[in-house]
Amino acid sequence: MLGVHRDQDLTPAAKRVDQAARGALKKALGDLPGKAGSTLLLRGLPGVAAERVLLVGMGERKEFSENAYREAVRGAASALKDLKAKDAAFFLVDSKVNSRPVSWNLRQAVLGLREALYRFDVLKTQKKTDAPSLAHVTLPLGANAQLEQALAEAQATADGAELARTLGNLPSNICTPGYLAEEAKKLARQFKLQIEVLERRDMERLGMGAFLAVTNASHQPPKLIVLRYSGAAKGKKPLALVGKGITFDTGGISLKPAGEMDEMKFDMSGAGAVLGTMRALAGMEAPVNVVGVIPTCENMPGGHATKPGDVVTTLSGQTVEILNTDAEGRLILCDALTYASRFEPEAVIDIATLTGACVVALGHVATGLFANDEQLADEIREAADDAWDRVWQMPLWEDYQEQLRSNFADFANIGGRPGGSITAACFLARFTREMRWAHLDIAGTAWKSGREKGSTARPVPLLVRFALRHAGKK
Ligand code: BES
Ligand code: MN
Ligand code: ZN
């Protein structure tokens, strides 16, 4: 596989092949559409040992960017699939992408290839017969310790992303709170993590009134999963990751409309991202301490359901008037965040498909970032840019807090339509005042709709990169 730009400017590897083939490659270039990711297959090039050479378009050189590189990787991967290639030498990795180091290309190539080769067909009786044939990819880079490290990191990150992706794609009748707890136990066994799963009676004893209010009408028992990975010194304070695990969000009594409601099986994507990130970090034996806290349940209507206007007492002691039962994510998260504070985390990040308003604000490109600590926000933004799993910071000003006022409790669980993703974050902020905290709203980025419907596994790459950079591994 060779990368070529539209302006006929060959990458170093392509130049070598062209010389060996006495210009045959350059001649063929005219047939390659200019768009990044387009491909052209050449067979039997004179003077070239490889049976087939796949040219991969990378767009105009002067417009070459992170996105064009990723398109090229994706295009190359899908062509490899169609060609039923078994072995491939991936010469795209040596192209310079802005000021990114080669290790960046390498990580993106591995993640892109693994994503393209992922298939979710466990629930189909007629499996496609063209099972992925690609067994071996050579990334032609001089071996050095830094690249070895990047490769190991990318492979483990891809394993974690795959777990998050599959959990997201599984329907809610399979991926229940109990299923997530079993998956967490499997991870614990495989990677020697500590695990504890709190049951409904534990939550009652603790006083998690907000979490319990969401699970009231469900026939599936709720779980609070606590998973610990210790890769650093015992005394080092952990990073806490808290993931929203609503395995299906009907809205409850504030019922959602029927259209596209199936997509609310993805409402546990934050939980999937936490499990995926922990799998990645444990898999690469990262020198970090992480505690994952996952509140998981269904949000259902029914005779026992919480009703608009009901007032509950949260684990923190603060009371909440539940004006809309569809604003359930913040209710399970607030108790989980309070619970996470007992681990005295150095920082806590929650990950949640929290608001439709975030999709309106940022679309499907950037994850919403909120933080009560600017240094933490900067660190997350830099890691997100590095992982090309990008975020955009939103304000968390006190001015928005008044939208949550209630006549009947300490505050309400909704703040009206204006700034909906901000007031949701403001709600969570009332439970994290004592911690360095950030909130990632992944409502627009955790899955794709339409023909390509499926989990994206975001923000696993961002969280892995953050944990590693935070531990001093650039
Ligand atoms: N899980 C949803 C958020 C969501 C909606 C994510 C659509 C992706 C696509 C969340 O629980 C929710 O229902 N939020 C409400 C909050 C509102 C009632 C204040 C929303 O966004 O409509
Ligand atoms: Mn909801
Ligand atoms: Zn939800």
Side-chain angles (χ1 to χ4, degrees), residues 188-204:
R189 276 196 297 274
Q190 193 180 349
F191 295 100
K192 301 197 172 54
L193 312 178
Q194 280 170 274
I195 185 162
E196 195 183 357
V197 178
L198 276 64
E199 307 290 335
R200 185 196 300 272
R201 58 180 179 281
D202 302 313
M203 301 168 198
E204 284 166 357

Side-chain angles (χ1 to χ4, degrees), residues 151-191:
L151 180 62
E153 177 191 330
Q155 288 284 20
T157 307
D159 291 340
E162 207 161 285
L163 173 64
R165 188 170 284 126
T166 294
L167 291 175
N169 288 338
L170 282 169
S172 74
N173 61 327
I174 295 174
C175 185
T176 58
Y179 186 92
L180 285 178
E182 285 308 314
E183 285 293 306
K185 283 182 193 162
K186 255 198 242 166
L187 275 188
R189 276 196 297 274
Q190 193 180 349
F191 295 100

Side-chain angles (χ1 to χ4, degrees), residues 6 25 40 44 57 81 119 135 190 320 339-340 344 401 423:
R6 199 217 299 274
L25 195 139
L40 177 68
K81 244 188 340 194
R119 191 183 279 163
Q190 193 180 349
V320 174
Y339 191 77
E344 295 180 10
Q401 285 287 359
T423 50

Side-chain angles (χ1 to χ4, degrees), residues 244 249 256 264 267 324 326-330 353-357 359 414 443-444 447:
K244 171 177 173 182
D249 182 10
K256 286 185 180 296
M264 283 300 117
D267 211 18
N324 189 317
D326 198 10
E328 85 297 339
R330 59 198 82 180
T353 48
L354 204 62
T355 64
V359 190
I414 55 167
W447 75 89

Side-chain angles (χ1 to χ4, degrees), residues 324-365:
N324 189 317
T325 63
D326 198 10
E328 85 297 339
R330 59 198 82 180
L331 294 173
I332 66 170
L333 287 170
C334 71
D335 282 347
L337 285 164
T338 303
Y339 191 77
S341 71
R342 69 170 56 201
F343 302 107
E344 295 180 10
E346 197 224 325
V348 51
I349 305 177
D350 76 72
I351 305 101
T353 48
L354 204 62
T355 64
C358 193
V359 190
V360 175
L362 300 174
H364 301 289
V365 178

Side-chain angles (χ1 to χ4, degrees), residues 36-37 58 63-74 97-98 104 365 388 390:
M58 302 200 301
E63 284 163 20
F64 192 52
S65 62
E66 286 82 357
N67 284 339
Y69 179 79
R70 300 233 308 192
E71 285 301 325
V73 169
R74 197 170 323 161
V97 185
N98 289 330
W104 188 90
V365 178
W388 209 243
R390 290 168 300 167

